[in-house]
Amino acid sequence: MKLVRNQDVEAPVAFVYDALCDFDHWERVALRRGAEVTRLDTLAVPGPGMKWNIGFDFRNRRRTVDLRLVTLDPGQTLAFAGQGKSMNGTALLDLVEMGPKRTRIAITVEVEARTLAARMLLQSLKFATARVNRAFEARTTQLATDLQERFRRNPGR
Protein backbone atom coordinates (compact mmCIF):
# COMPACT_ATOMS: atom_id res chain seq x y z
CA MET A 1 0.00 0.00 0.00
CA LYS A 2 1.34 3.37 -0.98
CA LEU A 3 0.20 6.79 0.28
CA VAL A 4 1.41 10.00 -1.35
CA ARG A 5 0.67 13.58 -0.35
CA ASN A 6 2.10 17.03 -0.99
CA GLN A 7 1.65 19.45 1.88
CA ASP A 8 2.54 23.14 1.83
CA VAL A 9 3.93 24.81 4.94
CA GLU A 10 4.11 28.56 5.51
CA ALA A 11 7.71 28.50 6.77
CA PRO A 12 11.18 28.60 5.17
CA VAL A 13 12.67 25.32 4.02
CA ALA A 14 15.58 25.60 6.50
CA PHE A 15 13.17 25.95 9.41
CA VAL A 16 11.01 23.02 8.24
CA TYR A 17 14.08 20.82 7.80
CA ASP A 18 15.43 21.73 11.25
CA ALA A 19 12.01 21.09 12.82
CA LEU A 20 11.68 17.70 11.13
CA CYS A 21 15.19 16.79 12.32
CA ASP A 22 14.33 17.65 15.94
CA PHE A 23 14.03 13.96 16.80
CA ASP A 24 13.80 14.59 20.56
CA HIS A 25 10.64 16.63 19.90
CA TRP A 26 9.09 13.85 17.77
CA GLU A 27 9.93 11.26 20.43
CA ARG A 28 8.04 13.37 23.01
CA VAL A 29 5.09 13.75 20.61
CA ALA A 30 4.89 9.97 20.18
CA LEU A 31 5.09 9.43 23.96
CA ARG A 32 2.24 11.92 24.53
CA ARG A 33 0.13 9.95 22.03
CA GLY A 34 0.62 6.73 23.97
CA ALA A 35 3.48 5.13 22.08
CA GLU A 36 6.53 3.66 23.74
CA VAL A 37 9.74 4.98 22.16
CA THR A 38 13.22 3.65 22.86
CA ARG A 39 16.27 5.08 21.14
CA LEU A 40 18.60 2.26 20.07
CA ASP A 41 21.64 4.10 18.68
CA THR A 42 24.32 6.20 20.33
CA LEU A 43 24.80 8.84 17.64
CA ALA A 44 25.43 12.29 19.08
CA VAL A 45 24.46 14.13 15.89
CA PRO A 46 21.36 13.36 13.80
CA GLY A 47 22.27 11.24 10.80
CA PRO A 48 21.72 7.99 8.96
CA GLY A 49 21.87 5.05 11.31
CA MET A 50 19.65 6.54 14.02
CA LYS A 51 17.32 3.79 15.32
CA TRP A 52 14.24 3.59 17.49
CA ASN A 53 12.00 0.82 18.74
CA ILE A 54 8.39 2.05 18.79
CA GLY A 55 5.47 0.26 20.42
CA PHE A 56 1.88 1.38 19.78
CA ASP A 57 -1.69 0.09 19.72
CA PHE A 58 -3.38 -0.44 16.35
CA ARG A 59 -6.66 -2.28 15.87
CA ASN A 60 -6.71 -3.39 19.50
CA ARG A 61 -3.30 -5.03 19.29
CA ARG A 62 0.12 -3.96 20.47
CA ARG A 63 2.48 -3.47 17.54
CA THR A 64 6.20 -2.82 17.56
CA VAL A 65 8.33 -1.32 14.81
CA ASP A 66 12.08 -0.92 14.53
CA LEU A 67 12.53 2.39 12.75
CA ARG A 68 15.80 3.67 11.33
CA LEU A 69 16.84 6.84 9.57
CA VAL A 70 18.18 5.79 6.17
CA THR A 71 18.81 9.12 4.44
CA LEU A 72 19.36 12.61 5.79
CA ASP A 73 20.15 14.99 2.94
CA PRO A 74 20.49 18.45 4.53
CA GLY A 75 17.65 20.75 3.57
CA GLN A 76 16.09 18.27 1.14
CA THR A 77 15.30 14.70 2.15
CA LEU A 78 14.59 12.48 5.12
CA ALA A 79 14.01 8.77 4.53
CA PHE A 80 13.01 6.20 7.13
CA ALA A 81 12.69 2.42 6.97
CA GLY A 82 10.62 0.45 9.44
CA GLN A 83 10.40 -3.25 10.13
CA GLY A 84 7.76 -4.91 12.23
CA LYS A 85 6.89 -8.48 12.98
CA SER A 86 4.56 -8.77 9.99
CA MET A 87 5.15 -5.65 7.88
CA ASN A 88 7.91 -3.50 6.43
CA GLY A 89 7.55 0.12 5.46
CA THR A 90 9.31 3.21 4.24
CA ALA A 91 8.62 6.92 4.61
CA LEU A 92 10.18 9.56 2.41
CA LEU A 93 9.91 13.29 3.10
CA ASP A 94 11.20 15.54 0.31
CA LEU A 95 11.35 19.28 0.92
CA VAL A 96 10.94 21.74 -1.94
CA GLU A 97 11.40 25.49 -1.48
CA MET A 98 8.36 27.21 -3.03
CA GLY A 99 9.37 30.69 -1.90
CA PRO A 100 11.29 32.44 0.88
CA LYS A 101 8.67 31.49 3.48
CA ARG A 102 6.88 28.58 1.82
CA THR A 103 7.93 24.93 1.69
CA ARG A 104 6.29 21.92 0.10
CA ILE A 105 6.74 18.57 1.81
CA ALA A 106 6.25 15.60 -0.51
CA ILE A 107 5.41 12.66 1.75
CA THR A 108 5.45 9.09 0.46
CA VAL A 109 4.67 6.17 2.74
CA GLU A 110 4.80 2.56 1.55
CA VAL A 111 3.85 -0.50 3.57
CA GLU A 112 4.23 -4.11 2.49
CA ALA A 113 3.10 -7.28 4.19
CA ARG A 114 5.42 -10.07 5.28
CA THR A 115 2.77 -12.51 6.52
CA LEU A 116 -0.63 -13.71 5.39
CA ALA A 117 -2.36 -11.96 8.30
CA ALA A 118 -0.64 -8.70 7.35
CA ARG A 119 -1.74 -9.13 3.73
CA MET A 120 -5.31 -9.49 4.93
CA LEU A 121 -4.97 -6.35 7.06
CA LEU A 122 -3.57 -4.36 4.13
CA GLN A 123 -6.32 -5.71 1.88
CA SER A 124 -8.96 -4.49 4.34
CA LEU A 125 -7.27 -1.08 4.35
CA LYS A 126 -7.30 -1.02 0.53
CA PHE A 127 -11.06 -1.57 0.60
CA ALA A 128 -11.30 1.51 2.81
CA THR A 129 -8.99 3.60 0.62
CA ALA A 130 -11.06 6.78 0.89
CA ARG A 131 -11.08 6.60 4.70
CA VAL A 132 -7.35 5.81 4.85
CA ASN A 133 -6.55 8.70 2.48
CA ARG A 134 -8.69 11.09 4.57
CA ALA A 135 -6.86 10.03 7.74
CA PHE A 136 -3.47 10.43 6.01
CA GLU A 137 -4.50 13.84 4.70
CA ALA A 138 -5.63 14.90 8.18
CA ARG A 139 -2.30 13.82 9.73
CA THR A 140 -0.21 15.61 7.11
CA THR A 141 -2.34 18.74 7.43
CA GLN A 142 -1.86 18.62 11.20
CA LEU A 143 1.91 18.25 10.68
CA ALA A 144 1.93 21.36 8.46
CA THR A 145 -0.17 23.30 10.97
CA ASP A 146 2.16 22.31 13.83
CA LEU A 147 5.24 23.35 11.84
CA GLN A 148 3.64 26.69 10.94
CA GLU A 149 2.74 27.35 14.59
CA ARG A 150 6.29 26.51 15.68
CA PHE A 151 7.60 28.97 13.07
CA ARG A 152 5.22 31.73 14.18
CA ARG A 153 6.28 31.28 17.80
CA ASN A 154 9.99 31.21 17.00
CA PRO A 155 10.77 32.55 13.49
CA GLY A 156 14.44 33.17 14.24
CA ARG A 157 15.23 29.54 14.85
Side-chain angles (χ1 to χ4, degrees), residues 27-136:
E27 288 176 22
R28 290 189 305 273
V29 168
L31 290 169
R32 282 194 301 266
R33 290 185 178 160
E36 294 175 9
V37 180
T38 306
R39 178 95 179 260
L40 301 176
D41 66 88
T42 58
L43 296 174
V45 180
M50 294 178 78
K51 296 179 186 178
W52 299 265
N53 180 274
I54 304 168
F56 58 95
D57 293 324
F58 181 72
R59 289 199 171 188
N60 298 322
R61 290 192 58 201
R62 192 69 179 168
R63 317 279 179 168
T64 59
V65 174
D66 288 328
L67 184 70
R68 73 177 155 52
L69 180 62
V70 178
T71 304
L72 187 65
D73 189 5
Q76 295 180 347
T77 305
L78 288 96
F80 297 89
Q83 183 173 355
K85 182 178 174 184
S86 59
M87 290 190 202
N88 291 333
T90 59
L92 178 65
L93 290 87
D94 280 318
L95 305 179
V96 178
E97 184 174 15
M98 304 301 287
K101 290 191 177 183
R102 188 175 185 87
T103 303
R104 176 166 292 158
I105 306 173
I107 304 168
T108 305
V109 176
E110 286 189 72
V111 180
E112 61 184 33
R114 295 174 48 192
T115 65
L116 181 59
R119 282 190 205 120
M120 292 175 66
L121 172 65
L122 285 181
Q123 190 63 38
S124 71
L125 291 175
K126 287 179 184 177
F127 286 133
T129 300
R131 185 174 50 88
V132 170
N133 283 331
R134 277 194 308 271
F136 187 62

